[in-house]
Amino acid sequence: MTSYRPDKIWIERGSERSRIAENVRRAYQDVPVQSYDPPLKLEHFGFAAGKRQLVLMRHRGSFLHHCPAGTPGLVCCNYLVVNLGANCPFDCSYCFLQEYLAHSPGLRLFTNVEEALAEVDDVLRRHPNRRFRIGTGELIDSLALDALTEHTRILVPFFAERPNAVLELKTKSAAVEGLLAFAPVENVVVAWSLNAPSVIRDEEPGTASLDERLAAAERVQQAGFRVAFHFDPLIALPQWEEEYAAVLCRLVERVNPSRVAWVSLGHLRLSPGLKRAMKERSRGWTLLTGELVAGPDGKHRAWRGLRLTMYRTLLEWLRRWDPAIPRYICMEPAGVWEKTFGEVPTDQEVAARLVGTPK
């Protein structure tokens, strides 16, 4: 069970008997609960305090979206995201949610998950000859609150019956107990964001340590599932080569490369609004002092030469580990791909390399 503990629980009228509401009340029996009629306004709490306001609500509108990485001028991997909640029990200093959810704080869990799955099912049925990669970890960690949401209990059997989709559960937690209750499913991949221990310690409070993440990945692999890893965000630490080499050494020691679905690399990306939010919250000062330049999407990154050096170095380490592991870089323009991989694949080509074709 996560260490997350809310100060108050808000349940939208009509959702009181939902499975998630029952789980939440059982887990937090001494936390005040209040029913409400939408809209619920929590702006006065601010972002950090808002995380401790746990909101159970129906989601209005569409659940399934294209990943924001699909920005003009950047090579994309055709990733889709299905949002089953919004906000995160963790509080990483560089998290884009500080800007994205600045005016709608509160940790929201959606109670109408069945409608999300119906939407996904409709897309998969209408395109039986396409193969989709779908993730749940854009606006909320996929596994950190699984003991409350029981999303794995619903998602794993659902995707097991839909061979033209691959589900990615992306996390910075070690909460894999719910997943391990199931027999392995080949098109369900559990992915961890990895970083140097100093970054995890200083910039990712509340998350699992590097060793805890790798131990969880080892357990998941031993249970028969495939795993994936995201070195994102890469940070230009003063001793970045030594620190990331140490991460790779730990990864190689614990994980079987033949069951790694993919590995991605991506540099720290800060929009002007996110930089303002970080300064206002006095977060991530060391991340804001480096030399950052604007990219085609308006986000600031380390200068291109440094990014290329870091990408080439880590990709070579990964190639030595196992050249068969699919690798890609996230939210980078064609020129960076060309100078890193020697080619500029189309979005469809990148996607096909990661998920293959339907059986």
Side-chain angles (χ1 to χ4, degrees):
M1 180 66 181
T2 177
S3 60
Y4 172 74
R5 180 177 176 79
D7 293 337
K8 189 169 184 177
I9 299 165
W10 304 80
I11 304 179
E12 180 183 350
R13 296 189 196 281
S15 293
E16 295 92 342
R17 296 184 179 180
S18 66
R19 172 181 45 81
I20 291 178
E22 292 177 354
N23 290 346
V24 165
R25 282 194 295 260
R26 187 181 307 114
Y28 303 117
Q29 297 182 27
D30 57 342
V31 174
V33 178
Q34 181 170 329
S35 298
Y36 76 94
D37 293 306
L40 177 63
K41 297 185 180 297
L42 299 173
E43 293 89 336
H44 59 284
F45 282 102
F47 185 74
K51 285 177 175 286
R52 297 191 298 275
Q53 303 296 310
L54 181 57
V55 182
L56 311 183
M57 59 178 286
R58 292 180 58 82
H59 177 65
R60 275 80 175 172
S62 120
F63 287 87
L64 191 64
H65 304 276
H66 199 284
C67 173
T71 302
L74 304 178
V75 176
C76 175
C77 65
N78 275 347
Y79 191 52
L80 299 180
V81 292
V82 57
N83 292 318
L84 305 179
N87 218 329
C88 180
F90 306 138
D91 195 10
C92 298
S93 66
Y94 54 79
C95 181
F96 81 101
L97 295 179
Q98 296 170 95
E99 175 189 10
Y100 188 76
L101 298 178
H103 301 295
S104 55
L107 200 166
R108 288 172 279 165
L109 301 178
F110 301 144
T111 58
N112 52 335
V113 174
E114 293 76 10
E115 293 179 24
L117 297 188
E119 185 177 334
V120 172
D121 185 56
D122 179 64
V123 170
L124 299 183
R125 288 180 181 277
R126 285 191 286 109
H127 303 280
N129 296 319
R130 286 184 58 188
R131 192 157 169 84
F132 298 84
R133 186 164 67 111
I134 302 174
T136 63
E138 182 199 16
L139 300 183
I140 193 167
D141 187 288
S142 294
L143 295 179
L145 297 177
D146 193 54
L148 299 177
T149 64
E150 294 185 324
H151 285 160
T152 53
R153 192 180 80 173
I154 300 171
L155 293 171
V156 173
F158 176 86
F159 279 88
E161 298 177 353
R162 289 158 179 84
N164 65 324
V166 174
L167 171 67
E168 181 181 44
L169 299 169
K170 188 184 297 184
T171 187
K172 290 179 182 174
S173 78
V176 296
E177 289 76 13
L179 181 79
L180 295 178
F182 292 91
V185 176
E186 190 66 13
N187 63 333
V188 173
V189 175
V190 190
W192 277 268
S193 297
L194 299 184
N195 224 308
S198 62
V199 174
I200 294 174
R201 181 191 66 236
D202 298 337
E203 311 296 345
E204 300 179 356
T207 66
S209 69
L210 175 63
D211 286 335
E212 288 170 338
R213 297 180 203 186
L214 293 177
E218 189 176 24
R219 291 179 64 197
V220 167
Q221 267 200 336
Q222 290 172 349
F225 286 90
R226 292 191 296 160
V227 299
F229 301 98
H230 300 280
F231 288 84
D232 193 343
L234 288 173
I235 308 243
L237 302 163
Q239 304 295 325
W240 67 264
E241 192 164 0
E242 292 85 348
E243 296 209 44
Y244 285 113
V247 177
L248 260 294
C249 286
R250 295 194 200 180
L251 176 63
V252 168
E253 288 171 356
R254 306 201 70 157
V255 173
N256 176 1
S258 69
R259 297 294 290 164
V260 175
W262 53 76
V263 177
S264 79
L265 307 178
H267 260 274
L268 177 70
R269 306 172 288 277
L270 301 176
S271 69
L274 176 54
K275 291 171 73 174
R276 286 193 298 271
M278 291 170 66
K279 290 177 181 178
E280 290 171 0
R281 298 186 62 210
S282 297
R283 303 295 309 285
W285 286 111
T286 57
L287 308 183
L288 297 170
T289 56
E291 182 181 353
L292 302 174
V293 295
D297 55 359
K299 295 179 181 178
H300 292 78
R301 298 164 172 79
W303 61 283
R304 179 167 166 166
L306 178 56
R307 301 204 314 276
L308 287 171
T309 299
M310 293 181 70
Y311 286 150
R312 290 167 178 162
T313 300
L314 269 73
L315 287 169
E316 174 60 18
W317 292 341
L318 291 166
R319 186 195 66 77
R320 294 177 190 171
W321 183 32
D322 190 331
I325 297 174
R327 293 157 290 161
Y328 68 101
I329 50 178
C330 188
M331 298 192 79
E332 288 287 2
V336 173
W337 273 80
E338 197 282 328
K339 290 185 177 298
T340 302
F341 289 100
E343 64 167 347
V344 182
T346 65
D347 298 354
Q348 291 77 17
E349 287 172 336
V350 177
R353 293 171 188 178
L354 299 178
V355 300
T357 56
K359 295 181 180 179

